[in-house]
Amino acid sequence: MGTAPDTATPRWQRVLKRIASLILHQWLLIGMGVVCALAYCFPNVAKNGGIIRSEYSIMYGVIAIIFLISGLSIPRQKLISHALNWRLHLIVQVISFLFIPSVVLAIVHIILAADPGEKIDRAVLAGYIFTACIPTTIASNVVMTRSAGGDDAAALVEVLLANILGPFVTAAWTISLIPKMAVFDPWRFGGGNLGSMYKEVFQQLGLSVLLPLFIGQLVRWTWPDRTALVLQKTKLPKLATFCLLLLIWATFSSCFATGALQTLSAQSIVFVILFNIILYITLTAVCFFCSRPPRIFGSRRWSKPIFKRMSPEETIAVCFCGPAKSTALGIPLLYAMWQPVDLFLKAKTSVPVLLYTTEQICVAHFFVQLFRWWHTTIVEKEDLDGSTRDDVEIAMAGDTRADHAGRVHEHTTV
C-alpha cells in the first residue's frame, strides 16, 4: 500500500517551475526582446563599425559557426541530391526573385495612388522594392528549418544558389522596378559603384559560408561515427539557434545607430511593422501551396511531374527559404548601389530591410512550432497508414492461404 507524501510541493515552487518552463520553451523569443533592448540602449556596441566590429565578428564569425555546424550535420549525399533538384530550385528562386517583387511593386503603386499626401515615407517604399529583390537570408532559414524538423540540406542548397545569383540580379532588378516619378529620382539615378560591393559580398560568401561548410563536410567524411557522437553529446546544433540572437543584435544596433527609425512618421512605422507580418505569413502560405498543391492539380499524366507533392521535410525548407530576405547581402548592396545618395536618406531606405529581416525571425519562431507539429502529425499518419496496409496485406495473404488450403482439402475429399 502506497504512502502519501508528508508535505505537498509549496505553491511558490510550482509557480517558479511554470515560469522556468515558459522561459525554456520561449527562450529565443525572450532573447530577441533582450537583444533589441540592448541594441536600443547601446547601439554603438554592435553596429556596423562599432566596438565589437560586428561586420567581422558577427557577419563573418557567427555565420561561419552556423555553417560549420551545418557541414558537420548534413550528409554529403543529401547536398548532392538537392543540388540536382530542379523543382526545389524553381519554386524557391521564382518566389524570391519574381513573385515577391511583383506583389510588393503592386502594393507600392496602390499606396502611391491612395497616399498623395506622402504620409508613408517614399524612402520606405523605395526600400521595400529593394527588399523584395534581394535573395533569401544566409543563416536563419537553415537554423529554423532544422529546428522545425525540415530538410536543412535543401535549405542550405537554396541559400547558396540564391546568394550567388543575388548580387547580379538584385541591383538591375531594383532599378528597373523603381517607379518613374520625380520623387524617386535619387534611387533611380543613384550612380553607385558596385565593384567593391561584389568583392565584399563574394568574400563574405566564401569565408563565412563555403569554407566552413567544406571544413565541416571534410571532418564528417573523415570521422563520420565520431562526428555524429560529438554532435549528439554536445548538442552542438542548438548553438546555431543562439547565434541568431547575435545576428538580430547586430541588425538592430545598426538600425538604431543611424537614427533613421526614430525619425520616421508614426504612419510609416505602423505600416512597416504590420505589412512585414502580413507579407511574411502570406508568402509562407504561398510557398506551402506550391510545395504541396491539392492532389487535383496532379491528377493528369502531364501535370504529375509539375504538381508532384514535395516531402514534408522539403516543404518546411521551402517555407522558410522562400519568404526570407538577407540583411548580410542587403545592407552592403544598398549602400553600394546608392553611394552618392545622402547618408540619412540611405538609412531610412534601409529600415524595411532591417525590420523585415528581424520580424521574419520573430514570426518564423512561431512557424517552427507549427511546422514541427505538422511534420509529426504527417509522419505519424504515414506510419499508421503503412501499418494498416501491412495488416491488410497480411490478412489478405492469410485469407488466400486459407482459401487455397480449403480447395486442397475439397479436392482430396473428392
Side-chain angles (χ1 to χ4, degrees):
M1 186 174 179
T3 57
D6 296 336
T7 56
T9 305
R11 183 177 179 182
W12 65 270
Q13 288 187 5
R14 294 198 303 269
V15 172
L16 283 180
K17 284 182 179 179
R18 289 181 181 178
I19 294 174
S21 176
L22 176 65
I23 292 174
L24 287 174
H25 281 87
Q26 304 297 333
W27 71 269
L28 181 61
L29 201 62
I30 295 171
M32 288 179 188
V34 171
V35 297
C36 287
L38 289 174
Y40 180 77
C41 296
F42 312 102
N44 292 325
V45 176
K47 72 173 184 178
N48 193 293
I51 295 173
I52 65 169
R53 299 302 295 271
S54 62
E55 67 271 26
Y56 300 112
S57 61
I58 291 179
M59 293 304 169
Y60 278 85
V62 170
I63 291 177
I65 291 172
I66 291 173
F67 281 94
L68 177 63
I69 294 171
S70 295
L72 293 170
S73 307
I74 300 173
R76 186 174 64 260
Q77 294 81 359
K78 289 181 70 175
L79 288 175
I80 295 173
S81 66
H82 286 308
L84 302 175
N85 190 341
W86 64 269
R87 188 159 174 262
L88 177 69
H89 303 329
L90 188 66
I91 291 176
V92 174
Q93 306 309 329
V94 166
I95 288 175
S96 184
F97 288 119
L98 292 178
F99 181 77
I100 297 177
S102 301
V103 171
V104 170
L105 183 63
I107 293 171
V108 166
H109 279 285
I110 291 172
I111 293 172
L112 289 174
D115 181 33
E118 299 189 12
K119 292 182 179 179
I120 305 298
D121 199 302
R122 284 352 185 199
V124 169
L125 299 182
Y128 264 116
I129 294 175
F130 172 78
T131 304
C133 297
I134 59 179
T136 186
T137 186
I138 292 177
S140 63
N141 43 20
V142 177
V143 176
M144 294 294 186
T145 299
R146 185 187 299 122
S147 300
D151 194 332
D152 51 346
L156 181 55
V157 168
E158 294 313 304
V159 164
L160 293 176
L161 179 59
N163 283 272
I164 290 172
L165 293 174
F168 302 104
V169 174
T170 301
W173 197 211
T174 301
I175 298 303
S176 301
L177 297 181
I178 291 289
K180 307 296 189 292
M181 301 172 62
V183 71
F184 289 99
D185 283 349
W187 295 278
R188 284 199 296 128
F189 306 110
N193 179 16
L194 298 180
S196 60
M197 183 278 302
Y198 283 124
K199 179 183 177 182
E200 181 180 343
V201 167
F202 285 113
Q203 176 179 300
Q204 181 180 6
L205 194 64
L207 293 178
S208 64
V209 177
L210 295 176
L211 182 61
L213 180 65
F214 173 76
I215 293 173
Q217 285 285 289
L218 185 63
V219 171
R220 183 184 175 91
W221 181 71
T222 308
W223 302 287
D225 296 333
R226 195 174 299 176
T227 302
L229 184 63
V230 170
L231 288 173
Q232 182 181 2
K233 285 190 173 182
T234 60
K235 307 292 184 183
L236 197 58
K238 291 186 179 297
L239 177 62
T241 308
F242 173 75
C243 290
L244 285 182
L245 295 178
L246 298 179
L247 291 173
I248 296 172
W249 180 37
T251 300
F252 259 109
S253 294
S254 298
C255 186
F256 287 128
T258 62
L261 189 61
Q262 297 92 313
T263 58
L264 285 175
S265 65
Q267 293 92 333
S268 296
I269 294 294
V270 171
F271 167 75
V272 170
I273 292 174
L274 295 180
F275 180 64
N276 287 343
I277 296 173
I278 295 170
L279 181 63
Y280 187 84
I281 293 173
T282 303
L283 293 175
T284 303
V286 170
C287 289
F288 186 86
F289 176 84
C290 292
S291 303
R292 293 179 71 86
R295 297 190 185 277
I296 191 172
F297 285 86
S299 58
R300 298 184 180 276
R301 183 178 298 177
W302 63 268
S303 63
K304 276 186 179 180
I306 301 174
F307 295 104
K308 181 183 177 182
R309 285 188 160 194
M310 289 184 168
S311 68
E313 293 78 14
E314 289 180 350
T315 300
I316 293 172
V318 171
C319 288
F320 282 116
C321 289
K325 294 297 179 180
S326 171
T327 305
L329 175 67
I331 296 303
L333 181 55
L334 185 149
Y335 278 81
M337 280 176 58
W338 294 308
Q339 190 173 2
V341 175
D342 176 71
L343 179 61
F344 183 68
L345 192 61
K346 283 187 291 190
K348 287 202 296 183
T349 308
S350 71
V351 168
V353 186
L354 294 169
L355 287 186
Y356 183 83
T357 53
T358 304
E359 286 183 74
Q360 77 187 9
I361 297 176
C362 297
V363 179
H365 173 69
F366 294 100
F367 275 118
V368 165
Q369 314 301 323
L370 180 62
F371 279 121
R372 188 183 294 162
W373 169 83
W374 174 75
H375 179 258
T376 304
T377 304
I378 291 292
V379 170
E380 288 177 352
K381 183 179 179 182
E382 288 176 352
D383 291 343
L384 182 62
D385 291 344
S387 301
T388 304
R389 284 195 297 270
D390 291 342
D391 293 342
V392 170
E393 289 173 2
I394 292 171
M396 290 175 65
D399 291 343
T400 302
R401 286 195 297 270
D403 184 57
H404 177 69
R407 289 180 181 177
V408 171
H409 176 71
E410 181 182 357
H411 177 71
T412 305
T413 305
V414 173

